Amino acid sequence: MKIYIKYDINVACRTILQEQLEKLGIHFDMNESGEIQVLEVISLEDNIQLQANLKRYGIDILSDQKSQLIQRIKNVIMDMIGREKLPASKISLYLAEKMNMNYSYISTLFSEYTHSSIENYIILQKIEKAKKLLLQELSLTEISYILNYSSVAHLSGQFKKTTGLSPSVFKKIIDGRKRKIYTT
């Protein structure tokens, strides 16, 4: 028998982090974008144990500042995309404000370390969200509004360019898989 699951990776990671920190008795605060502020000095032994516990789940503690900054940028973008409606302001202004940094610095650093632009990363995240929204039976018009696309055609074009499928073909494939699962 097969079991099919649906999960939210952000919720899963937050839960794992929270459980592991609490297990070691480490006092912390976690903000919306997943950043953790440890409220006390962690012993070397606890630090090693925490890293080992998290490694089992594929989670690494970032030690260098640039890697931390890249992850913060990604977290802010994923938080932004995860909202019910994307902010109406320009994304560059939004990121600069949220990060409290100059956008050109953020953009250059991101491209240097990820070999991709922030804009491309945002498009990939928006298309992933569009896939989820399609599965929730939202129309392309509703999805393009939620994701701040200028038109349905623009969303459809980016969707096809990114996935190789039009949104309607993607939906048909998923619906076909669902029917197959429920009839077997």
Side-chain angles (χ1 to χ4, degrees), residues 115-164:
H115 308 291
S116 177
S117 68
I118 285 178
E119 292 76 12
N120 191 53
Y121 184 76
I122 290 170
I123 289 168
L124 293 173
Q125 296 306 313
K126 285 171 85 171
I127 297 305
E128 286 303 311
K129 172 109 183 225
K131 288 178 187 178
K132 289 177 184 175
L133 295 172
L134 278 168
L135 297 177
Q136 294 174 10
E137 305 296 328
L138 270 70
S139 71
L140 284 178
T141 303
E142 293 169 313
I143 295 169
S144 66
Y145 172 76
I146 290 169
L147 296 177
N148 270 356
Y149 277 95
S150 57
S151 67
V152 172
H154 186 210
L155 167 60
S156 295
Q158 275 193 346
F159 194 99
K160 181 159 178 122
K161 185 178 178 184
T162 304
T163 66

Short mmCIF file of all heavy atoms in Angstrom, two decimals, residues 115-164:
data_model
loop_
_atom_site.label_atom_id
_atom_site.label_comp_id
_atom_site.label_asym_id
_atom_site.label_seq_id
_atom_site.Cartn_x
_atom_site.Cartn_y
_atom_site.Cartn_z
N HIS A 115 25.05 31.85 -8.27
CA HIS A 115 25.18 31.77 -9.73
C HIS A 115 23.82 31.93 -10.41
O HIS A 115 23.57 31.36 -11.48
CB HIS A 115 25.89 30.48 -10.17
CG HIS A 115 27.19 30.27 -9.48
ND1 HIS A 115 28.29 31.07 -9.71
CD2 HIS A 115 27.56 29.39 -8.51
CE1 HIS A 115 29.28 30.67 -8.93
NE2 HIS A 115 28.87 29.66 -8.20
N SER A 116 22.94 32.67 -9.77
CA SER A 116 21.62 32.96 -10.30
C SER A 116 21.22 34.33 -9.76
O SER A 116 21.67 34.74 -8.69
CB SER A 116 20.61 31.91 -9.83
OG SER A 116 19.32 32.22 -10.28
N SER A 117 20.36 35.00 -10.48
CA SER A 117 19.92 36.32 -10.01
C SER A 117 18.79 36.18 -9.00
O SER A 117 18.09 35.16 -8.96
CB SER A 117 19.44 37.17 -11.20
OG SER A 117 18.25 36.61 -11.74
N ILE A 118 18.60 37.21 -8.23
CA ILE A 118 17.46 37.25 -7.30
C ILE A 118 16.17 37.16 -8.09
O ILE A 118 15.24 36.46 -7.69
CB ILE A 118 17.49 38.54 -6.44
CG1 ILE A 118 18.57 38.41 -5.37
CG2 ILE A 118 16.13 38.81 -5.81
CD1 ILE A 118 18.72 39.64 -4.48
N GLU A 119 16.11 37.84 -9.21
CA GLU A 119 14.91 37.85 -10.04
C GLU A 119 14.56 36.43 -10.49
O GLU A 119 13.39 36.03 -10.44
CB GLU A 119 15.09 38.76 -11.26
CG GLU A 119 15.18 40.24 -10.92
CD GLU A 119 16.53 40.69 -10.33
OE1 GLU A 119 17.53 39.92 -10.39
OE2 GLU A 119 16.57 41.80 -9.78
N ASN A 120 15.55 35.67 -10.91
CA ASN A 120 15.31 34.29 -11.33
C ASN A 120 14.85 33.43 -10.16
O ASN A 120 13.93 32.61 -10.31
CB ASN A 120 16.58 33.69 -11.96
CG ASN A 120 16.30 32.37 -12.64
OD1 ASN A 120 15.40 32.27 -13.47
ND2 ASN A 120 17.06 31.36 -12.26
N TYR A 121 15.45 33.62 -8.99
CA TYR A 121 15.05 32.87 -7.80
C TYR A 121 13.59 33.19 -7.45
O TYR A 121 12.82 32.29 -7.12
CB TYR A 121 15.98 33.21 -6.63
CG TYR A 121 15.69 32.40 -5.39
CD1 TYR A 121 16.09 31.08 -5.30
CD2 TYR A 121 14.99 32.97 -4.32
CE1 TYR A 121 15.81 30.32 -4.17
CE2 TYR A 121 14.72 32.22 -3.19
CZ TYR A 121 15.12 30.90 -3.11
OH TYR A 121 14.83 30.16 -2.00
N ILE A 122 13.22 34.45 -7.56
CA ILE A 122 11.83 34.87 -7.27
C ILE A 122 10.87 34.22 -8.27
O ILE A 122 9.82 33.71 -7.87
CB ILE A 122 11.71 36.40 -7.28
CG1 ILE A 122 12.43 36.98 -6.06
CG2 ILE A 122 10.25 36.84 -7.30
CD1 ILE A 122 12.59 38.48 -6.07
N ILE A 123 11.25 34.21 -9.54
CA ILE A 123 10.38 33.57 -10.55
C ILE A 123 10.18 32.09 -10.21
O ILE A 123 9.05 31.59 -10.25
CB ILE A 123 10.98 33.74 -11.97
CG1 ILE A 123 10.87 35.20 -12.42
CG2 ILE A 123 10.29 32.80 -12.97
CD1 ILE A 123 11.68 35.53 -13.66
N LEU A 124 11.26 31.40 -9.87
CA LEU A 124 11.14 29.98 -9.51
C LEU A 124 10.21 29.78 -8.32
O LEU A 124 9.37 28.87 -8.31
CB LEU A 124 12.52 29.39 -9.21
CG LEU A 124 13.49 29.29 -10.38
CD1 LEU A 124 14.86 28.84 -9.90
CD2 LEU A 124 12.96 28.35 -11.45
N GLN A 125 10.33 30.64 -7.31
CA GLN A 125 9.47 30.54 -6.12
C GLN A 125 8.02 30.86 -6.46
O GLN A 125 7.09 30.21 -5.96
CB GLN A 125 9.98 31.46 -5.01
CG GLN A 125 11.35 31.10 -4.47
CD GLN A 125 11.45 29.66 -4.00
OE1 GLN A 125 10.60 29.17 -3.28
NE2 GLN A 125 12.49 28.97 -4.44
N LYS A 126 7.81 31.85 -7.34
CA LYS A 126 6.45 32.21 -7.74
C LYS A 126 5.80 31.08 -8.53
O LYS A 126 4.62 30.78 -8.33
CB LYS A 126 6.45 33.51 -8.57
CG LYS A 126 6.69 34.75 -7.72
CD LYS A 126 6.90 35.98 -8.57
CE LYS A 126 5.61 36.63 -8.98
NZ LYS A 126 5.82 37.95 -9.62
N ILE A 127 6.56 30.41 -9.37
CA ILE A 127 6.01 29.30 -10.15
C ILE A 127 5.68 28.13 -9.23
O ILE A 127 4.65 27.46 -9.41
CB ILE A 127 6.97 28.89 -11.29
CG1 ILE A 127 7.14 30.05 -12.29
CG2 ILE A 127 6.48 27.63 -11.98
CD1 ILE A 127 5.84 30.61 -12.88
N GLU A 128 6.51 27.88 -8.23
CA GLU A 128 6.18 26.82 -7.25
C GLU A 128 4.88 27.15 -6.53
O GLU A 128 4.05 26.28 -6.31
CB GLU A 128 7.32 26.62 -6.25
CG GLU A 128 8.53 25.91 -6.82
CD GLU A 128 8.19 24.54 -7.41
OE1 GLU A 128 7.51 23.73 -6.74
OE2 GLU A 128 8.59 24.28 -8.56
N LYS A 129 4.71 28.41 -6.16
CA LYS A 129 3.47 28.82 -5.50
C LYS A 129 2.30 28.70 -6.47
O LYS A 129 1.21 28.26 -6.08
CB LYS A 129 3.59 30.26 -4.99
CG LYS A 129 2.30 30.84 -4.46
CD LYS A 129 2.30 31.00 -2.98
CE LYS A 129 0.97 31.51 -2.47
NZ LYS A 129 1.09 32.56 -1.51
N ALA A 130 2.51 29.06 -7.74
CA ALA A 130 1.45 28.94 -8.75
C ALA A 130 1.01 27.48 -8.88
O ALA A 130 -0.19 27.20 -8.99
CB ALA A 130 1.93 29.48 -10.10
N LYS A 131 1.96 26.55 -8.85
CA LYS A 131 1.61 25.12 -8.91
C LYS A 131 0.70 24.74 -7.75
O LYS A 131 -0.31 24.06 -7.94
CB LYS A 131 2.88 24.26 -8.86
CG LYS A 131 3.73 24.29 -10.10
CD LYS A 131 4.96 23.43 -9.83
CE LYS A 131 5.98 23.49 -10.91
NZ LYS A 131 7.18 22.68 -10.58
N LYS A 132 1.07 25.18 -6.55
CA LYS A 132 0.26 24.87 -5.37
C LYS A 132 -1.14 25.46 -5.49
O LYS A 132 -2.13 24.82 -5.15
CB LYS A 132 0.94 25.39 -4.09
CG LYS A 132 2.18 24.63 -3.72
CD LYS A 132 2.85 25.23 -2.50
CE LYS A 132 4.15 24.51 -2.19
NZ LYS A 132 4.87 25.13 -1.08
N LEU A 133 -1.22 26.69 -5.98
CA LEU A 133 -2.51 27.35 -6.12
C LEU A 133 -3.36 26.69 -7.20
O LEU A 133 -4.58 26.60 -7.06
CB LEU A 133 -2.32 28.84 -6.40
CG LEU A 133 -1.67 29.64 -5.26
CD1 LEU A 133 -1.36 31.07 -5.70
CD2 LEU A 133 -2.54 29.63 -4.01
N LEU A 134 -2.73 26.21 -8.26
CA LEU A 134 -3.46 25.47 -9.30
C LEU A 134 -4.08 24.21 -8.70
O LEU A 134 -5.21 23.84 -9.04
CB LEU A 134 -2.54 25.09 -10.46
CG LEU A 134 -2.27 26.16 -11.50
CD1 LEU A 134 -1.14 25.74 -12.42
CD2 LEU A 134 -3.52 26.47 -12.30
N LEU A 135 -3.34 23.55 -7.82
CA LEU A 135 -3.84 22.34 -7.18
C LEU A 135 -4.98 22.63 -6.21
O LEU A 135 -5.75 21.75 -5.87
CB LEU A 135 -2.71 21.61 -6.45
CG LEU A 135 -1.58 21.11 -7.35
CD1 LEU A 135 -0.47 20.48 -6.52
CD2 LEU A 135 -2.09 20.14 -8.40
N GLN A 136 -5.08 23.89 -5.78
CA GLN A 136 -6.17 24.30 -4.90
C GLN A 136 -7.37 24.79 -5.70
O GLN A 136 -8.27 25.40 -5.14
CB GLN A 136 -5.70 25.40 -3.95
CG GLN A 136 -4.65 24.94 -2.97
CD GLN A 136 -4.09 26.09 -2.14
OE1 GLN A 136 -4.59 27.20 -2.14
NE2 GLN A 136 -3.01 25.81 -1.43
N GLU A 137 -7.33 24.55 -7.01
CA GLU A 137 -8.45 24.87 -7.90
C GLU A 137 -8.65 26.37 -8.12
O GLU A 137 -9.74 26.80 -8.49
CB GLU A 137 -9.76 24.23 -7.42
CG GLU A 137 -9.69 22.72 -7.22
CD GLU A 137 -9.42 21.94 -8.51
OE1 GLU A 137 -9.85 22.39 -9.59
OE2 GLU A 137 -8.76 20.90 -8.42
N LEU A 138 -7.63 27.19 -7.92
CA LEU A 138 -7.74 28.62 -8.23
C LEU A 138 -7.58 28.81 -9.72
O LEU A 138 -6.85 28.06 -10.39
CB LEU A 138 -6.68 29.43 -7.48
CG LEU A 138 -7.08 29.94 -6.09
CD1 LEU A 138 -7.19 28.81 -5.10
CD2 LEU A 138 -6.10 30.98 -5.62
N SER A 139 -8.22 29.83 -10.24
CA SER A 139 -8.11 30.13 -11.67
C SER A 139 -6.79 30.87 -11.93
O SER A 139 -6.18 31.43 -11.01
CB SER A 139 -9.27 31.01 -12.13
OG SER A 139 -9.13 32.32 -11.59
N LEU A 140 -6.36 30.88 -13.19
CA LEU A 140 -5.14 31.60 -13.53
C LEU A 140 -5.28 33.09 -13.26
O LEU A 140 -4.31 33.76 -12.89
CB LEU A 140 -4.77 31.37 -15.00
CG LEU A 140 -4.15 30.00 -15.30
CD1 LEU A 140 -3.86 29.86 -16.79
CD2 LEU A 140 -2.89 29.79 -14.50
N THR A 141 -6.47 33.62 -13.42
CA THR A 141 -6.72 35.03 -13.14
C THR A 141 -6.48 35.31 -11.65
O THR A 141 -5.80 36.27 -11.29
CB THR A 141 -8.16 35.42 -13.52
OG1 THR A 141 -8.35 35.13 -14.91
CG2 THR A 141 -8.43 36.89 -13.27
N GLU A 142 -7.01 34.45 -10.79
CA GLU A 142 -6.81 34.61 -9.34
C GLU A 142 -5.33 34.47 -8.98
O GLU A 142 -4.80 35.24 -8.18
CB GLU A 142 -7.62 33.57 -8.57
CG GLU A 142 -9.13 33.76 -8.67
CD GLU A 142 -9.90 32.57 -8.12
OE1 GLU A 142 -9.57 31.41 -8.47
OE2 GLU A 142 -10.86 32.82 -7.35
N ILE A 143 -4.67 33.49 -9.58
CA ILE A 143 -3.26 33.24 -9.29
C ILE A 143 -2.40 34.42 -9.75
O ILE A 143 -1.51 34.87 -9.02
CB ILE A 143 -2.78 31.92 -9.92
CG1 ILE A 143 -3.53 30.74 -9.28
CG2 ILE A 143 -1.28 31.75 -9.78
CD1 ILE A 143 -3.35 29.42 -9.98
N SER A 144 -2.67 34.93 -10.95
CA SER A 144 -1.88 36.06 -11.45
C SER A 144 -2.07 37.29 -10.56
O SER A 144 -1.13 38.05 -10.33
CB SER A 144 -2.18 36.37 -12.91
OG SER A 144 -3.49 36.83 -13.07
N TYR A 145 -3.26 37.46 -10.01
CA TYR A 145 -3.52 38.57 -9.08
C TYR A 145 -2.73 38.37 -7.78
O TYR A 145 -2.05 39.27 -7.31
CB TYR A 145 -5.02 38.69 -8.78
CG TYR A 145 -5.34 39.69 -7.70
CD1 TYR A 145 -5.30 41.05 -7.95
CD2 TYR A 145 -5.64 39.26 -6.41
CE1 TYR A 145 -5.56 41.97 -6.95
CE2 TYR A 145 -5.90 40.17 -5.40
CZ TYR A 145 -5.87 41.52 -5.67
OH TYR A 145 -6.13 42.43 -4.67
N ILE A 146 -2.81 37.18 -7.20
CA ILE A 146 -2.13 36.89 -5.94
C ILE A 146 -0.62 37.07 -6.07
O ILE A 146 0.04 37.59 -5.18
CB ILE A 146 -2.45 35.44 -5.47
CG1 ILE A 146 -3.91 35.36 -5.03
CG2 ILE A 146 -1.51 34.99 -4.35
CD1 ILE A 146 -4.41 33.93 -4.81
N LEU A 147 -0.07 36.65 -7.21
CA LEU A 147 1.38 36.70 -7.42
C LEU A 147 1.86 37.98 -8.10
O LEU A 147 3.02 38.08 -8.50
CB LEU A 147 1.83 35.47 -8.22
CG LEU A 147 1.60 34.12 -7.52
CD1 LEU A 147 2.00 32.97 -8.42
CD2 LEU A 147 2.35 34.06 -6.20
N ASN A 148 0.96 38.96 -8.23
CA ASN A 148 1.29 40.27 -8.81
C ASN A 148 1.81 40.21 -10.24
O ASN A 148 2.71 40.95 -10.61
CB ASN A 148 2.28 41.04 -7.94
CG ASN A 148 1.60 41.89 -6.92
OD1 ASN A 148 0.38 41.98 -6.87
ND2 ASN A 148 2.39 42.51 -6.07
N TYR A 149 1.27 39.31 -11.05
CA TYR A 149 1.63 39.30 -12.47
C TYR A 149 0.80 40.36 -13.17
O TYR A 149 -0.35 40.60 -12.80
CB TYR A 149 1.37 37.92 -13.08
CG TYR A 149 2.50 36.95 -12.85
CD1 TYR A 149 2.46 36.06 -11.78
CD2 TYR A 149 3.61 36.93 -13.69
CE1 TYR A 149 3.50 35.18 -11.55
CE2 TYR A 149 4.65 36.04 -13.47
CZ TYR A 149 4.59 35.18 -12.39
OH TYR A 149 5.62 34.31 -12.16
N SER A 150 1.37 40.95 -14.19
CA SER A 150 0.66 42.00 -14.92
C SER A 150 -0.50 41.45 -15.72
O SER A 150 -1.45 42.16 -16.01
CB SER A 150 1.62 42.76 -15.84
OG SER A 150 2.25 41.85 -16.73
N SER A 151 -0.42 40.17 -16.08
CA SER A 151 -1.50 39.54 -16.85
C SER A 151 -1.41 38.02 -16.72
O SER A 151 -0.38 37.47 -16.32
CB SER A 151 -1.38 39.91 -18.33
OG SER A 151 -0.22 39.33 -18.90
N VAL A 152 -2.49 37.37 -17.10
CA VAL A 152 -2.52 35.90 -17.11
C VAL A 152 -1.52 35.39 -18.14
O VAL A 152 -0.84 34.39 -17.91
CB VAL A 152 -3.95 35.39 -17.41
CG1 VAL A 152 -3.96 33.89 -17.63
CG2 VAL A 152 -4.90 35.77 -16.27
N ALA A 153 -1.40 36.10 -19.25
CA ALA A 153 -0.47 35.69 -20.31
C ALA A 153 0.98 35.71 -19.79
O ALA A 153 1.77 34.81 -20.11
CB ALA A 153 -0.60 36.61 -21.52
N HIS A 154 1.32 36.71 -18.99
CA HIS A 154 2.67 36.79 -18.43
C HIS A 154 2.93 35.61 -17.49
O HIS A 154 3.98 34.97 -17.56
CB HIS A 154 2.84 38.12 -17.69
CG HIS A 154 4.23 38.38 -17.19
ND1 HIS A 154 4.49 39.12 -16.09
CD2 HIS A 154 5.45 37.97 -17.64
CE1 HIS A 154 5.79 39.16 -15.87
NE2 HIS A 154 6.39 38.47 -16.80
N LEU A 155 1.98 35.31 -16.62
CA LEU A 155 2.09 34.15 -15.73
C LEU A 155 2.23 32.87 -16.54
O LEU A 155 3.13 32.06 -16.30
CB LEU A 155 0.88 34.05 -14.80
CG LEU A 155 0.70 32.74 -14.03
CD1 LEU A 155 1.88 32.45 -13.12
CD2 LEU A 155 -0.60 32.75 -13.24
N SER A 156 1.37 32.68 -17.53
CA SER A 156 1.41 31.47 -18.36
C SER A 156 2.74 31.32 -19.07
O SER A 156 3.30 30.22 -19.14
CB SER A 156 0.27 31.48 -19.37
OG SER A 156 -0.96 31.43 -18.72
N GLY A 157 3.26 32.43 -19.57
CA GLY A 157 4.55 32.40 -20.28
C GLY A 157 5.69 32.00 -19.36
O GLY A 157 6.52 31.15 -19.71
N GLN A 158 5.73 32.60 -18.16
CA GLN A 158 6.79 32.23 -17.21
C GLN A 158 6.63 30.80 -16.72
O GLN A 158 7.61 30.09 -16.54
CB GLN A 158 6.79 33.19 -16.01
CG GLN A 158 7.59 34.44 -16.26
CD GLN A 158 7.85 35.22 -15.00
OE1 GLN A 158 7.25 35.01 -13.95
NE2 GLN A 158 8.77 36.17 -15.11
N PHE A 159 5.39 30.37 -16.53
CA PHE A 159 5.13 29.00 -16.08
C PHE A 159 5.67 28.03 -17.11
O PHE A 159 6.39 27.08 -16.77
CB PHE A 159 3.61 28.81 -15.89
CG PHE A 159 3.24 27.57 -15.13
CD1 PHE A 159 2.95 27.65 -13.79
CD2 PHE A 159 3.19 26.33 -15.76
CE1 PHE A 159 2.60 26.50 -13.06
CE2 PHE A 159 2.85 25.19 -15.05
CZ PHE A 159 2.55 25.28 -13.69
N LYS A 160 5.35 28.25 -18.39
CA LYS A 160 5.80 27.34 -19.45
C LYS A 160 7.31 27.38 -19.60
O LYS A 160 7.95 26.34 -19.77
CB LYS A 160 5.12 27.68 -20.77
CG LYS A 160 5.56 26.73 -21.87
CD LYS A 160 4.61 26.69 -23.01
CE LYS A 160 5.18 25.76 -24.05
NZ LYS A 160 4.36 24.68 -24.39
N LYS A 161 7.89 28.57 -19.54
CA LYS A 161 9.34 28.71 -19.67
C LYS A 161 10.07 27.98 -18.54
O LYS A 161 11.11 27.36 -18.74
CB LYS A 161 9.72 30.19 -19.68
CG LYS A 161 11.18 30.45 -19.93
CD LYS A 161 11.46 31.94 -19.98
CE LYS A 161 12.94 32.19 -20.18
NZ LYS A 161 13.28 33.60 -20.15
N THR A 162 9.50 28.03 -17.34
CA THR A 162 10.14 27.44 -16.17
C THR A 162 9.92 25.93 -16.08
O THR A 162 10.85 25.18 -15.77
CB THR A 162 9.60 28.11 -14.87
OG1 THR A 162 9.83 29.51 -14.97
CG2 THR A 162 10.29 27.58 -13.65
N THR A 163 8.70 25.48 -16.35
CA THR A 163 8.37 24.06 -16.17
C THR A 163 8.38 23.25 -17.46
O THR A 163 8.42 22.03 -17.41
CB THR A 163 6.96 23.91 -15.55
OG1 THR A 163 6.00 24.39 -16.49
CG2 THR A 163 6.85 24.64 -14.23
N GLY A 164 8.29 23.94 -18.59
CA GLY A 164 8.18 23.24 -19.86
C GLY A 164 6.74 22.86 -20.20
O GLY A 164 6.48 22.25 -21.23
#
